[in-house]
Amino acid sequence: MTSPLVKDRIYRSPQALVGGVLLLGIIGWLGIDALIRGHGRTPWLALALMILIVPLVVAFTLRPAVFAGEDRLRVRNPFRVITLPWGEIEVLRSGYSNEVLVTSGAKYQLWAIPVSLRGRKRAAGRQAKAQAKAASDARRGRTEPTGGGYGGFGLGGGASRGLHEPAEDSGPARAATDKVMDDLRETLENRGKAESAQGEITVRWAYEVAAPAIAGAVLLVILLATG
C-alpha cells in the first residue's frame, strides 16, 4: 500500500513578488515606449537593456522559493536550484540572513526567506507589551479584593470579575520569517533521520536565467563599442 502523496510546502517573499511585478511593469512601459518612439540606436539600446535587466529582475524577485517536502528541502535561488535531503542538513541558521548548513560544511542562502529586522523589532515590541500587560494583570490580581460584604459581592457588583479567566498565552512573539525557519527546523528534527530523507545534495545552475542576461550584456557592449 503506497502512502498518500504529500504536497511540498512553498515559502516565498510576498514583498519580493510585489516589487518584481512593479519593476517589470516599469521596465516594460519604458522599454516598449523606447522601442516604438525611439530614433536611431535608441530602440536597439532599449532592447539590449530589456534583455539584460528583465531576467535579473525575475531571478531576484519572482524566482526565489523554498519547497519543503517530507524527504527533501529544495531551495530555488536566483541562479541555482539546490536539492537538500533532510539527512544532509546540519542546521538551519538565522542571523542577518537565513541559511542552510550541510554536513559537508557547505552553506546555502535562502533567498526566498529574507530576514526582516523591522519585523523582529515589531515582534520584540509586541512581546514587551504582552509581558508588561501580564505583569500588570498579575499585580492587580494580587491586590484586588475577591469579594466584599453582602454575601461575598463587592459594592460594584462583582469585584472578582476576570480573576478566574484563563490567561492568554500565544507564545513568544516572532517575526514572520523567523516562524518559517521554526517550521523548517521542526521538519528537520522530525525527518532528519528518516531513511527516505537520506541521499546526495544536487545543485543545478539556472542557465535559462543566466543565458538571456549574458546575451543582453553582450549586445549592449557591442552597441556601446560601435557607437
Side-chain angles (χ1 to χ4, degrees):
M1 181 178 178
T2 59
S3 59
L5 182 64
V6 179
K7 291 185 177 180
D8 292 352
R9 302 192 307 276
I10 304 174
Y11 301 99
R12 307 184 77 171
S13 170
Q15 294 86 351
L17 295 175
V18 172
V21 170
L22 291 176
L23 283 174
L24 289 176
I26 294 172
I27 293 168
W29 171 44
L30 295 176
I32 293 173
D33 183 71
L35 289 173
I36 295 174
R37 298 170 181 263
H39 301 285
R41 294 159 49 84
T42 300
W44 288 102
L45 289 171
L47 179 62
L49 283 171
M50 290 178 68
I51 296 174
L52 170 62
I53 295 174
V54 168
L56 296 179
V57 171
V58 171
F60 285 97
T61 60
L62 305 184
R63 177 179 169 81
V66 172
F67 304 85
E70 287 292 299
D71 300 325
R72 303 287 186 272
L73 180 70
R74 187 159 61 94
V75 180
R76 193 170 70 191
N77 281 345
F79 299 108
R80 293 191 297 179
V81 177
I82 307 104
T83 302
L84 304 157
W86 289 111
E88 292 295 317
I89 298 177
E90 186 74 27
V91 67
L92 290 153
R93 186 171 65 184
S94 295
Y96 289 104
S97 64
N98 290 314
E99 301 166 337
V100 180
L101 275 69
V102 298
T103 54
S104 64
K107 178 176 65 176
Y108 303 100
Q109 187 173 350
L110 302 178
W111 281 82
I113 311 175
V115 169
S116 174
L117 297 179
R118 181 180 297 179
R120 286 180 177 176
K121 186 176 180 180
R122 286 199 299 263
R126 290 196 302 269
Q127 180 70 12
K129 289 180 181 179
Q131 291 175 347
K133 183 177 183 299
S136 176
D137 291 345
R139 287 194 298 270
R140 277 205 305 271
R142 288 196 299 267
T143 57
E144 273 189 3
T146 57
Y150 301 96
F153 294 93
L155 296 177
S160 62
R161 179 169 50 109
L163 295 181
H164 301 289
E165 294 178 0
E168 294 184 2
D169 184 10
S170 57
R174 302 276 283 164
T177 53
D178 290 337
K179 290 180 181 178
V180 170
M181 294 299 290
D182 290 341
D183 290 342
L184 295 178
R185 291 188 186 101
E186 182 179 358
T187 304
L188 174 61
E189 183 178 353
N190 294 334
R191 299 292 302 168
K193 296 182 179 179
E195 183 178 354
S196 59
Q198 311 303 314
E200 295 183 359
I201 298 172
T202 61
V203 179
R204 182 182 69 82
W205 289 92
Y207 296 107
E208 67 275 13
V209 175
I214 293 173
V218 171
L219 179 58
L220 182 62
V221 170
I222 292 173
L223 290 172
L224 294 176
T226 58

